[in-house]
Amino acid sequence: MTRSLNPHAAQNTGSPPTTLPPKPGDPATAPRRSILAAVAAMIIGGFVGIVPFAAGLATFLDPLLRRKKASGEADSHPPIRVASLDALPADGTPVQVPVIADLTDAWNREPNQPIGAVYLRRDGDKVECFNAICPHAGCFVGYSADRKVFQCPCHTSSFKLDGERIMPSPSPRDMDSLAVDPAKLKSGEVWVQFVNYYPGKEHREEKPT
């Protein structure tokens, strides 16, 4: 084999040239470091963003979950005190009284707010209760003392003292009766399960609270 007399010429030894690893300062390693740094930044940024989002979501859902749990454990219509038994006329004359309760949604609570009205009619130690809303169009029903009937001022629906419709009547049903707590009544207080129903329907359909 002929040897070159040029000292700078590479000798052909028949083996591939040796490749040296890049030095730390070699520009070829810069793109690789940039990619790794970008991936690391994305992972850290995503984690940092998820933590406050999860905390905020938990805070947002907490009252909703607590309310759902409470509604599942308690009666959806707990009795509300509306009057004392002694305040009602013993002769059976109906008396309209407001219904006061605490309004609570998922985040706010407003105590002692009027949520409706009822008519109470005493018969000895018993009390009948009717929602004061007319089942026809949702107007408040009045009481005519001279005629001894309930009278709606909007569309002339009339009802007997027991809440029955006086026919002919535009109201699709009788006045909506409400349950009175018998245990509270024995102690001299009138507590009712207040419910609002949709007007204009033949059968009672409860409104959501």
Side-chain angles (χ1 to χ4, degrees):
M1 181 174 61
T2 304
R3 179 177 297 180
S4 173
L5 297 179
N6 185 356
H8 299 288
Q11 296 182 358
N12 184 7
T13 61
S15 60
T18 302
T19 303
L20 297 178
K23 297 180 180 180
D26 195 330
T29 62
R32 185 180 303 172
R33 289 199 305 269
S34 299
I35 294 174
L36 293 176
V39 172
M42 289 177 61
I43 295 175
I44 296 174
F47 178 78
V48 172
I50 288 175
V51 171
F53 174 78
L57 183 62
T59 302
F60 179 82
L61 293 179
D62 180 66
L64 295 176
L65 297 176
R66 284 190 284 108
R67 186 185 181 192
K68 182 177 180 181
K69 181 179 179 182
S71 63
E73 295 174 350
D75 191 339
S76 58
H77 299 293
I80 300 174
R81 186 187 184 279
V82 293
S84 64
L85 184 61
D86 293 338
L88 304 180
D91 62 358
T93 301
V95 176
Q96 186 185 113
V97 296
V99 179
I100 307 297
D102 296 341
L103 292 180
T104 304
D105 59 20
W107 293 271
N108 301 301
R109 180 175 181 271
E110 299 180 21
N112 302 323
Q113 298 296 315
I115 61 173
V118 296
Y119 275 103
L120 301 176
R121 181 171 174 264
R122 180 178 179 179
D123 182 11
D125 292 333
K126 297 180 180 180
V127 174
E128 290 182 318
C129 180
F130 302 99
N131 196 315
I133 295 294
C134 181
H136 176 225
C139 299
F140 272 99
V141 173
Y143 174 67
S144 175
D146 55 343
R147 297 178 55 199
K148 296 186 183 303
V149 296
F150 296 106
Q151 182 78 51
C152 179
C154 295
H155 305 97
T156 67
S157 296
S158 298
F159 307 88
K160 299 178 182 179
L161 291 180
D162 61 0
E164 182 183 353
R165 286 176 298 170
I166 299 176
M167 302 300 291
S169 174
S171 177
R173 62 178 187 266
D174 298 339
M175 292 182 69
D176 296 323
S177 61
L178 302 176
V180 178
D181 190 323
K184 298 290 187 180
L185 201 58
K186 290 180 180 179
S187 63
E189 294 186 340
V190 183
W191 291 60
V192 302
Q193 288 183 312
F194 183 74
V195 185
N196 277 319
Y197 298 94
Y198 285 105
K201 298 179 180 291
E202 183 178 355
H203 301 287
R204 299 201 304 185
E205 182 178 339
E206 182 179 330
K207 284 185 175 182
T209 55

